[in-house]
Amino acid sequence: MPPFLFMDTKPRLVDSHAHLDMPEFDADRTETVQRAFAAGIVAILCPGDLTRDASLPAIAALSAEFPNVLAAAGVHAHQAKDFSPAHVDALKGLAAHRAIRAVGEIGLDYHYDFSPVAAQHEALRRQLALAAEAALPVILHSRLSGRDIIAAVDAEGFRAGGILHCFTESWEIARAMLDRGFHISFSGILTFPKAGDLREVAGRVPLERLLVETDSPYLAPVPYRGSGRRNEPAYVVETARVLAGVRGLALEDLAEATTANFSRLFPV
Ligand SMILES: [Zn+2]
Ligand SMILES: [Zn+2]
């Protein structure tokens, strides 16, 4: 028999967004990454939270053990009210030492009001400016706030690109961010029965700008969804499978394209 029949045929996927720093993974952080790699995941991007002391050290420890676990850092829209000069200094230091590959996640969230909108805008604008200075891409979070995200990117003249993660908005928002050089990442939400509109948008994003993610420990995809089950990077294949179906591609081809996109954004 030809040797290729014995090759490992698991699709090579990247989880472009996983919060492995969260306490939900304290008991099995290393094993979670090992499970992901065993399932065919080849890289994981972890956005660290500068407002939580345990966050960056947890990600740094993983990156030291697994070079394909990439670190980012920022102050999320939810914590924007706590954004301070100390966070600016921390980000500058991390960027200078190349300890992070992106600034994020940062953004706006008009669904939850954990921080006043004005504070969210201030934190977003300051961190976009910092990322531009450091020539780093950004990981953007947007919930019902796409237009203001676009306005902030334009107001800063931000051109270093990055990822609009866990995309849930309209094609108009997606297209505007694509025009500004961003990649669009889809989470397990894409697998939810009611996400027909989102699947339609996912069908229109150019293949060379698509990414997939888990947003672990949140948003477990179907069939893992429900009963408060923890999401983890190994499950990103379920989102990739749905995205491949939407686009009429084989899972392997979708995996190859999204993994190549990630590698272009974050060369190793
Ligand atoms: Zn987010
Ligand atoms: Zn996130």
Side-chain angles (χ1 to χ4, degrees), residues 1-266:
M1 259 194 273
F4 64 82
L5 287 180
F6 297 103
M7 282 169 59
D8 190 347
T9 54
K10 291 188 192 92
R12 297 174 73 253
L13 283 160
V14 171
D15 182 354
S16 78
H17 196 103
H19 295 279
L20 297 182
D21 57 316
M22 296 290 283
E24 283 87 341
F25 294 107
D26 279 354
D28 64 347
R29 197 164 274 120
T30 294
E31 292 81 354
T32 300
V33 174
Q34 286 168 339
R35 259 196 312 280
F37 287 173
I41 311 304
V42 294
I44 304 168
L45 178 70
C46 294
D49 175 358
L50 287 173
T51 68
R52 209 164 54 79
D53 288 342
S55 173
L56 268 294
I59 297 171
L62 278 186
S63 297
E65 194 175 354
F66 307 102
N68 287 0
V69 174
L70 275 52
V75 176
H76 195 287
H78 295 333
Q79 280 84 37
K81 63 181 185 306
D82 300 322
F83 185 68
S84 76
H87 299 130
V88 172
D89 292 343
L91 264 181
K92 283 183 176 170
L94 289 163
H97 291 97
R98 293 288 157 201
I100 52 171
R101 302 295 299 272
V103 171
E105 62 181 296
I106 60 176
L108 304 171
D109 193 310
Y110 296 168
H111 176 73
Y112 296 105
D113 59 349
F114 294 142
S115 284
V117 167
Q120 294 188 36
H121 278 254
E122 172 69 14
L124 171 60
R125 292 283 299 271
R126 290 296 304 279
Q127 293 179 97
L128 280 172
L130 280 165
E133 253 177 62
L136 285 173
V138 291
I139 314 297
L140 289 174
H141 169 104
S142 176
R143 186 109 187 251
L144 306 176
S145 56
R147 285 176 200 287
D148 287 355
I149 291 274
I150 293 160
V153 166
D154 287 350
E156 288 299 328
F158 185 79
R159 294 287 174 268
I163 302 171
L164 184 53
H165 104 94
C166 193
F167 190 79
T168 54
E169 295 177 278
S170 67
W171 167 244
E172 283 64 38
I173 301 294
R175 190 179 53 191
M177 292 303 282
L178 290 163
D179 288 346
R180 287 157 177 77
F182 281 84
H183 290 65
I184 308 287
S185 182
F186 290 93
S187 71
I189 291 175
L190 200 70
T191 70
F192 296 178
K194 287 181 181 163
D197 290 350
L198 188 63
R199 284 188 285 274
E200 196 186 312
V201 173
R204 297 173 73 175
V205 175
L207 185 60
E208 66 273 16
R209 297 289 192 85
L210 273 175
L211 295 169
V212 286
E213 67 175 76
T214 57
D215 209 4
S216 310
Y218 317 110
L219 297 173
V222 173
Y224 302 108
R225 196 182 178 209
S227 62
R229 182 154 177 171
R230 184 186 75 174
N231 196 4
E232 63 173 72
Y235 300 167
V236 78
V237 67
E238 302 303 334
T239 298
R241 205 188 307 280
V242 168
L243 188 53
V246 163
R247 306 193 55 109
L249 289 173
L251 174 58
E252 291 69 24
D253 294 335
L254 187 280
E256 191 181 314
T258 52
T259 295
N261 295 344
F262 186 86
S263 304
R264 274 197 311 276
L265 200 49
F266 301 107

